[in-house]
Amino acid sequence: SSIVVLISGSGSNLQAIIDAVKAEEIPGEIRAVISNKAEAYGLERAKQAGIATEVLSHTDFSSRESFDQAMIRLINQYDPDLVVLAGFMRILSPAFVQYFEGRLLNIHPSLLPKFQGLHTHKRAIEAGEKEHGASVHFVTEELDGGPVFIQAAVELDKEDTPESLAAKVLKQEHLIYPIAVKWVLEGRIQLKGGVPYLDGISL
Ligand code: GRF
């Protein structure tokens, strides 16, 4: 099976998936890493792993739709079974989501449905949460609203800062994202009618 990963920044989640592929924990290969930011360090990680890299800068496009159409064409050049958003900081248009729905994943740094959107760690601390974490979900038209099928939780300590909490959550992200990708590529998890099924049983 083939994977295309979309990034915008550091790519530590990409690295976790690269490492899992190398360790043969994932039945697939990453065919390309595409970033909307030319300076994303994740592009360096891809190059070091011998993976094709592409940059598609949204500033080169006059609208979200035209950027998304170009992104669909670029992804299709690699004909992936699965498109993985890993720190990809763009809101995708309904046309893009509809095109890839069912084979488009994202990881969000919160225990969804709590804390959709940005600055999740700061918000969790301010809300006095006892726990926080990360969620992997199929991407749907609702931002951070798609069906979740794997999560990891961490406890908040009273001295936690947004930075210390983010670091704890990121470690968990690196554990659950490769598992999520593996389950989808194995066909164990699939999205049918907007509902995730594990081995045919709706979650
Ligand atoms: C992570 O917090 C992830 O949850 C979010 O983007 C952040 C950076 O991820 N999606 P990465 O290091 O670029 O993979």
Side-chain angles (χ1 to χ4, degrees):
S1 306
S2 58
I3 307 161
V4 165
V5 182
L6 272 54
I7 62 166
S8 298
S10 158
S12 70
N13 278 289
L14 163 67
Q15 189 66 58
I17 297 167
I18 288 173
D19 297 345
V21 167
K22 206 177 297 176
E24 297 182 1
E25 291 159 8
I26 290 179
E29 43 128 6
I30 300 172
R31 280 218 181 120
V33 171
I34 303 174
S35 176
N36 65 315
K37 299 272 186 187
E39 69 278 11
Y41 181 66
L43 292 167
E44 189 53 39
R45 296 179 192 269
K47 287 172 189 159
Q48 285 170 20
I51 298 167
T53 59
E54 303 274 2
V55 174
L56 195 69
S57 174
H58 56 281
T59 54
D60 292 343
F61 295 84
S62 56
S63 73
R64 180 176 304 280
E65 287 66 27
S66 59
F67 170 77
D68 281 14
Q69 286 308 319
M71 181 63 88
I72 289 173
R73 279 194 300 276
L74 180 56
I75 291 170
N76 279 340
Q77 287 175 23
Y78 294 92
D79 189 26
D81 298 299
L82 184 62
V83 179
V84 172
L85 306 180
F88 186 65
M89 302 310 279
R90 289 274 306 164
I91 292 176
L92 292 161
S93 63
F96 184 98
V97 171
Q98 283 157 22
Y99 188 91
F100 289 109
E101 191 148 16
R103 53 188 179 121
L104 180 59
L105 300 182
N106 186 42
I107 190 162
H108 182 74
S110 81
L111 292 175
L112 291 172
K114 286 187 173 181
F115 308 116
Q116 294 173 328
L118 298 174
H119 313 301
T120 63
H121 311 300
K122 178 172 179 294
R123 290 160 57 199
I125 292 171
E126 287 169 357
E129 295 293 326
K130 294 285 171 284
E131 63 171 10
H132 184 47
S135 309
V136 178
H137 61 93
F138 285 99
V139 175
T140 61
E141 292 178 34
E142 187 194 348
L143 180 63
D144 301 331
V148 174
F149 61 87
I150 185 168
Q151 294 187 306
V154 298
E155 286 184 8
L156 267 78
D157 306 322
K158 59 186 178 315
E159 68 276 0
D160 259 320
T161 63
E163 294 70 28
S164 64
L165 186 53
K168 283 198 278 190
V169 170
L170 203 54
K171 276 196 179 63
Q172 297 301 314
E173 293 178 33
H174 300 159
L175 296 178
I176 64 175
Y177 220 173
I179 294 169
V181 169
K182 171 183 167 61
W183 281 351
V184 174
L185 290 182
E186 288 173 338
R188 294 199 60 196
I189 282 267
Q190 52 186 334
L191 188 66
K192 280 191 295 197
V195 175
Y197 285 72
L198 172 62
D199 291 340
I201 300 158
S202 70
L203 291 176

